[in-house]
Amino acid sequence: MVLCPVIGKLQHKHVVLASASPRRQEILSNAGLRFEVVPSRFKEKLHKASFATPYAYAVETAKQKALEVAGRMHQKDLRAPDVVIGADTIVAVGATILEKPVDKQDAYRMLSRLNGKEHSVFTGVAIVHCCSKDGRLDTEVSEFYEETTVTFSELSEELLWEYINSGEPMDKAGGYGIQALGGMLVENVHGDFLNVVGFPLNHFCKELARLYYPPRPEGLRRVKHDSIPAVDTFENLSDTEGGGSDPGPSAEGGRGGEEADGDRSQAPGALDAALNGAESRPPFPTGLLELMDGFKASKVLFTACKLKLFDVLKDQGPLKAVDVARKLDACAGGTEQLLDVCVALGLLEKTHRGYSNTAVTTLHLVSDAEHSLLGLAEYNDAHVWGVFTRLGLAVREGAGQARGALGVTEEEEHLSQSREMTLQFMRAMHSLSKLTAHHVATAFDLSRFTSACDLGGCTGILARELAREYPHLQVTVFDLPEVIELSGGFQRGGRQTERIRFVPGDFFKDNLPEADLYVLSRILQDWPDDRLHKLLSRISSGCKPGGGLLVAEAAAEEEEGASRSPRLRTLSAGQPRSPDEHRRLLQRHGFRDVRVARAGDLLRVVLGTRAAP
Ligand SMILES: O=c1[nH]cc([C@@H]2O[C@H](COP(=O)(O)OP(=O)(O)OP(=O)(O)O)[C@@H](O)[C@H]2O)c(=O)[nH]1
């Protein structure tokens, strides 16, 4: 990911977000930052008139919020986190500062002031690096602010009151939430949108880059930046570029992007030395601790899915914990705990009105969502979870080495014999294929083919995508009879197009349907070598010269942009093949002009053309 190097600078540090704002939590966790949330108890009561500008007020409030948390944590444990982040968002109309409304009348006053006009949204941010020495807390504060200008449309009284009565304004600076209903009030935004939502992510990354990658001394610099590096230069910043591994922030905390570059080659201060590792305390193993808890997070997700929590909140949210408990017919205390953990995991948002789904949850964890992954969650919970509990035994006894440490159990072997298990598996594949089918279908231009056969095509998601992309293509889905029998239940409004047909059969035994193009999507990795070669040679003999074979498989993690899940999958299936291995495999079975392309984050697609025998 492009911004990884700069966010990654915090990955081994104990980072605390001193904010109760669910939006800030979501923005930062979406950016890949790992942190603990400790809401600040600092009362936003600084004397506004004593600040020269509205943003100075926001910056100071952000700093006080972060320092309060650092101080409190240090007092409690005699040890502070490494970094505390505080933020404060305000709306400014000229010199007047608007914060969160205290009641509906206040919200009305604010929104009336903004009506039909332009205003500024400022978020002040403080990044506090902490270090405790001899029981004393040392802090070094970097602070900055970001300004975005927003223009409201002319809005009627009726609309303003309708909006106020929705309850949305109450916990939002200026009385509106641009990311939700409040977006309808806004005609124009100039600047960073996320800054209005509560956290200027882009400026934050630039600030991290400034702190952790101080520019080289002038003579050594390849590129001269007028100020701080732009976001699109972050990916070029390697550990070595700054002159060593994780040098920690530069000695100059300063006022963020406001100040010109100083002489960064000065000797670092005492705090810097500590952050550089001169102190013997090792970095806080946040990543490791999170790995240890990873299984709990998965189980929380699976449980919430099983209880249909996200469906309830989609239809009736926001809801208080007691109401959710009633709807789920569950215990109130337990439900509240589950809800709060879901908030911490970024699966839910919590406001004074209750709990509601986040954007990602709405997209992927609601049953009837187009891109629902509920089937995959259900399968992982009911099946894969159990398989992984015998990992230790499988590693010790070397079970099923050919297909990964976990091998194949009798249970898996008989998967197709149980209707419920088959359905579970199909639902999981259906969920996943919806995410990947478009990438697979469009990784190459397949318009030269007139017919395709998706071997092991399951519920026909990829077939549908192929038919959609290539208007002249006839597609056959070929799969085991029990799968084909159940596949009808997955077709919305019947079989989606007349150009798709479903044919039952076993690709190891039965004649393959005729086609110009054979497709194997996420199939090869499931089979040991002997079966794999058998399958490929059957396809090769069935394929006419000039015909094609399209293989989609998990990309290896080492490849840029690949996700970690294929590597985990090697424990239950095989090792992902490299592009060269794929090329050789297809060539060995008579395919030439083998081309390889990435298809999204998960898959690699390989296309070969059948040579004349
Ligand atoms: O368009 C939007 N504008 C603002 C917001 C949210 O408004 C609040 C601003 O309040 P503050 O900065 O004081 O932060 P708190 O929520 O009180 O949390 P702290 O614990 O950090 O003080 C903020 O939540 C923004 O996200 C919005 O959502 N949309």
Side-chain angles (χ1 to χ4, degrees), residues 493-511:
R495 302 266 151 93
Q496 203 232 350
T497 142
E498 307 223 310
R499 288 181 288 118
I500 301 177
R501 63 182 185 132
F502 287 70
V503 174
D506 181 337
F507 50 51
F508 286 116
K509 294 193 202 124
D510 299 317
N511 287 337

Side-chain angles (χ1 to χ4, degrees), residues 18-24 39-40 44 65 87-89 100 171-173 176-179 196-198:
S19 175
S21 166
R23 276 77 55 181
R24 291 192 182 118
S40 180
E44 294 166 39
K65 285 182 184 179
D88 189 63
T89 302
K100 290 164 289 189
D171 59 345
K172 316 270 181 341
Y176 71 96
I178 196 166
Q179 71 278 20
V196 183
V197 180

Side-chain angles (χ1 to χ4, degrees), residues 186-198:
V186 171
E187 202 161 68
N188 187 281
V189 178
H190 185 74
D192 182 353
F193 180 85
L194 291 182
N195 183 50
V196 183
V197 180

